[in-house]
Amino acid sequence: MPVPFESLIPFAIMSAMFVVAGNAVQFALNKESGGKGIRYSMDDWDRKMMMRDKQLTGSDRGQVDTPVASPEFKVNSVWKVHDSFRNGLL
């Protein structure tokens, strides 16, 4: 039983769109995480370290090897904003 050739063109287009969409999602996730793998089952410690890394480097996945934090680390805490939201000041 032969396959009608008219059905192969839409099938190829749909298959190509699935491939393009999958690659776009993978590219976006890779770009968001700085080229590193996706993190699974993060606990509270991991979230706190991600917050610390974001304050030190400006990205969630960035890390530094200097033992001393920069002077800006003292004043760029998100807890000031968090407390303001919690107390209803903002």
Side-chain angles (χ1 to χ4, degrees):
M1 179 175 216
V3 177
F5 291 107
E6 295 89 17
S7 64
L8 293 178
I9 294 173
F11 180 74
I13 291 172
M14 289 186 340
S15 298
M17 293 311 293
F18 277 116
V19 169
V20 168
N23 285 336
V25 169
Q26 185 65 31
F27 177 77
L29 290 175
N30 193 11
K31 195 73 167 166
E32 180 183 4
S33 66
K36 298 181 181 177
I38 300 171
R39 293 185 177 181
Y40 296 104
S41 66
M42 293 188 336
D43 58 355
D44 196 36
W45 175 262
D46 292 330
R47 288 185 194 92
K48 287 180 181 179
M49 289 296 106
M50 284 178 64
M51 186 182 308
R52 175 188 156 271
D53 291 342
K54 185 160 180 78
Q55 289 176 346
L56 285 174
T57 64
S59 68
D60 289 337
R61 301 296 298 266
Q63 297 175 349
V64 294
D65 59 350
T66 56
V68 180
S70 62
E72 295 87 18
F73 186 72
K74 294 179 183 178
V75 295
N76 67 352
S77 176
V78 297
W79 290 109
K80 294 176 186 175
V81 176
H82 175 71
D83 290 337
S84 299
F85 276 125
R86 189 175 63 189
N87 295 333
L89 298 176
L90 289 179

